[in-house]
């Protein structure tokens, strides 16, 4: 059987890391696309030269021509610009909306059957715009944020309990931003929910509140430390997890930015983070979690933040109205 074709649109920090993981895991052949052709070609050649060392046969090419992504099974989008210290994700719209429009047109023309995973920020609005500009089916266009946000939450919890990250599961809903909604009652260690762990005196409510806050601001913490650019290892690992579930029809239930049609709090037509089943048909199901009053309030605040960014996008690009 032919190897899968994975197109990485944007060959920067996340794009290069995605190419490295995809090649090491032999997930498929990789096309690295960037407006800077040298960056794409240089990273593809460097990784091709590493392949004999790690002993994998994925083919990697670099390009700045959309024709080379023809027939891609998966497209992962990181094209655009990352945050600088002190910047909010929403401040990236001005630069990234135009980039997403070009990318959507390239995918629509050359890889209309691909499963598309957007990472470019501000995430929920960019994936919404990508779907609108491309006209691809909403179940084939998703955003990566929840896997990363819940991984951060899991890491902080594992560190608190001094236990393996493998035994910690965490659930995060809503938009990718400081209003995201980490769901403590659905976050567990070995199946035991956080509120029970507090009763068992494994931790305290105050410490959990601090971890929730650190999770919400997790992206900014890394931006502040790096001083130039944003997180890339964990975002790349997270998007690969989603791509794998699609390519191998694993039907993982992963928190992703998906276009809701009423499954959570009756929200429709917007992309926001929710637990979704990813299989060979793309988004196959969205879990219709019933929220408690306080969770619903936080979720709707997050939805309002996404709506505000979308309104700004529509202002800038009237074709999105
Ligand atoms: P960076 O290393 O700057 O790479 C972006 C690449 O996009 C660069 O190589 C650019 O040359 C390229 N590019 C710019 N314009 C175009 C275009 N029109 N067509 C094709 N390529 C283009 O950034 P990065 O890889 O660190 O981050 C990429 C994006 O992901 C940024 O918007 C980040 O804010 C975002 N990000 C999202 C998350 C989420 O969890 C959602 C996490 C981390 C970063």
């Amino acid at each position: 059987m032919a190897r899968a074709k994975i197109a990485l649109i944007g060959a920067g920090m996340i794009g290069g890391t995605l190419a490295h993981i995809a090649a090491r895991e032999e997930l498929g052949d990789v096309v690295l696309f960037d407006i800077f052709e040298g960056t794409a070609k240089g990273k593809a050649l460097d990784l091709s030269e590493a392949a004999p060392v790690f002993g994998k046969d994925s083919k990697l090419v670099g390009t700045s021509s959309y024709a080379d992504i023809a027939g891609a099974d998966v497209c992962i989008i990181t094209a655009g610009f990352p945050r600088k210290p002190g910047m909010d994700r929403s401040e990236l719209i001005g630069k990234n909306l135009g980039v997403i429009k070009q990318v959507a047109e390239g995918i629509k023309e050359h890889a209309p059957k691909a499963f598309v995973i957007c990472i470019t920020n501000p995430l929920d609005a960019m994936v919404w715009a990508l779907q609108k500009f491309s006209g691809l089916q909403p179940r084939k266009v998703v955003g990566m944020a929840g896997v990363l946000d819940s991984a951060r939450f899991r890491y902080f919890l594992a560190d608190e309990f001094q236990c393996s990250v493998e035994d910690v599961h965490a659930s995060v809903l809503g938009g990718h931003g400081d209003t995201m909604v980490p769901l403590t009652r659905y976050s567990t260690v070995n199946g035991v929910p956080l509120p029970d762990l507090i009763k068992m005196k494994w931790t305290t409510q105050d410490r959990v509140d601090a971890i929730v806050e650190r999770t919400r601001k997790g992206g900014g913490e890394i931006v502040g430390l790096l001083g130039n650019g944003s997180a890339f290892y964990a975002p790349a690992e997270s998007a690969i997890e989603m791509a794998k579930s699609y390519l191998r029809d694993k039907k993982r239930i992963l928190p992703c930015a998906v276009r809701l049609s009423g499954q959570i709090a009756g929200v429709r037509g917007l992309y926001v983070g929710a637990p979704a089943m990813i299989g060979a048909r793309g988004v196959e199901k969205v879990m219709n979690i019933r929220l408690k009053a306080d969770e619903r309030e936080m979720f709707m605040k997050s939805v309002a933040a996404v709506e505000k960014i979308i309104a700004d996008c529509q202002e800038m690009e009237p074709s999105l109205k």
Side-chain angles (χ1 to χ4, degrees), residues 9-16 33-36 39-40 43 66 77-83 89 92 95-96 98-100 102-103 118-124 126 143-146 148-149 152 176 219 229-232 234-236 238:
I9 315 293
M13 296 306 289
I14 304 178
F33 176 102
D34 204 281
I35 36 163
F36 293 109
T39 304
K43 290 193 180 184
Y66 275 106
I77 320 304
T78 60
F81 298 87
R83 282 193 283 173
R89 291 177 183 89
L92 292 169
K95 286 180 164 177
N96 288 352
V99 172
I100 287 298
Q102 286 172 16
V103 173
C118 180
I119 306 185
T120 302
N121 270 321
L123 191 269
D124 307 272
M126 290 303 108
M144 187 298 294
L148 170 65
D149 295 331
R152 285 179 173 148
H176 179 60
S230 54
F232 51 99
S238 303

Side-chain angles (χ1 to χ4, degrees), residues 5-74:
K5 181 167 175 176
I6 300 166
L8 306 174
I9 315 293
M13 296 306 289
I14 304 178
T17 311
L18 285 166
H20 194 183
I21 304 170
R24 278 197 84 114
E25 296 203 9
E26 230 170 23
L27 268 189
D29 291 337
V30 175
V31 178
L32 259 174
F33 176 102
D34 204 281
I35 36 163
F36 293 109
E37 193 177 19
T39 304
K41 282 192 182 313
K43 290 193 180 184
L45 180 59
D46 190 10
L47 284 166
S48 300
E49 292 166 356
V53 185
F54 56 66
K56 296 288 164 70
D57 287 306
S58 291
K59 298 268 178 296
L60 295 113
V61 293
T63 185
S64 58
S65 162
Y66 275 106
D68 291 326
I69 72 161
D73 299 289
V74 170

Side-chain angles (χ1 to χ4, degrees), residues 8-214:
L8 306 174
I9 315 293
M13 296 306 289
I14 304 178
T17 311
L18 285 166
H20 194 183
I21 304 170
R24 278 197 84 114
E25 296 203 9
E26 230 170 23
L27 268 189
D29 291 337
V30 175
V31 178
L32 259 174
F33 176 102
D34 204 281
I35 36 163
F36 293 109
E37 193 177 19
T39 304
K41 282 192 182 313
K43 290 193 180 184
L45 180 59
D46 190 10
L47 284 166
S48 300
E49 292 166 356
V53 185
F54 56 66
K56 296 288 164 70
D57 287 306
S58 291
K59 298 268 178 296
L60 295 113
V61 293
T63 185
S64 58
S65 162
Y66 275 106
D68 291 326
I69 72 161
D73 299 289
V74 170
C75 294
I76 308 181
I77 320 304
T78 60
F81 298 87
R83 282 193 283 173
K84 294 201 165 73
M87 214 177 172
D88 187 78
R89 291 177 183 89
S90 60
E91 293 174 52
L92 292 169
I93 308 175
K95 286 180 164 177
N96 288 352
L97 187 61
V99 172
I100 287 298
K101 190 175 185 192
Q102 286 172 16
V103 173
E105 283 160 4
I107 293 176
K108 184 181 178 182
E109 186 174 349
H110 298 284
K113 294 195 172 145
F115 180 59
V116 180
I117 303 170
C118 180
I119 306 185
T120 302
N121 270 321
L123 191 269
D124 307 272
M126 290 303 108
V127 64
W128 173 86
L130 181 68
Q131 190 278 324
K132 283 251 180 195
F133 284 136
S134 68
L136 266 59
Q137 291 176 333
R139 69 180 166 84
K140 299 294 281 294
V141 181
V142 295
M144 187 298 294
V147 177
L148 170 65
D149 295 331
S150 59
R152 285 179 173 148
F153 196 19
R154 287 172 66 190
Y155 165 67
F156 299 146
L157 288 170
D159 194 44
E160 166 71 2
F161 299 129
Q162 289 294 295
C163 72
S164 167
V165 289
E166 286 189 82
D167 297 321
V168 182
H169 289 270
S171 191
V172 174
L173 280 184
H176 179 60
D178 298 352
T179 58
M180 75 179 82
V181 187
L183 284 182
T184 49
R185 72 188 167 107
Y186 287 135
S187 301
T188 63
V189 176
N190 181 39
V192 179
L194 271 180
D196 291 353
L197 289 159
I198 294 170
K199 283 185 204 143
M200 287 156 58
K201 303 212 181 316
W202 273 45
T203 185
T204 62
Q205 187 63 53
D206 283 354
R207 291 180 72 92
V208 169
D209 291 346
I211 288 172
V212 164
E213 204 45 29
R214 190 174 177 199

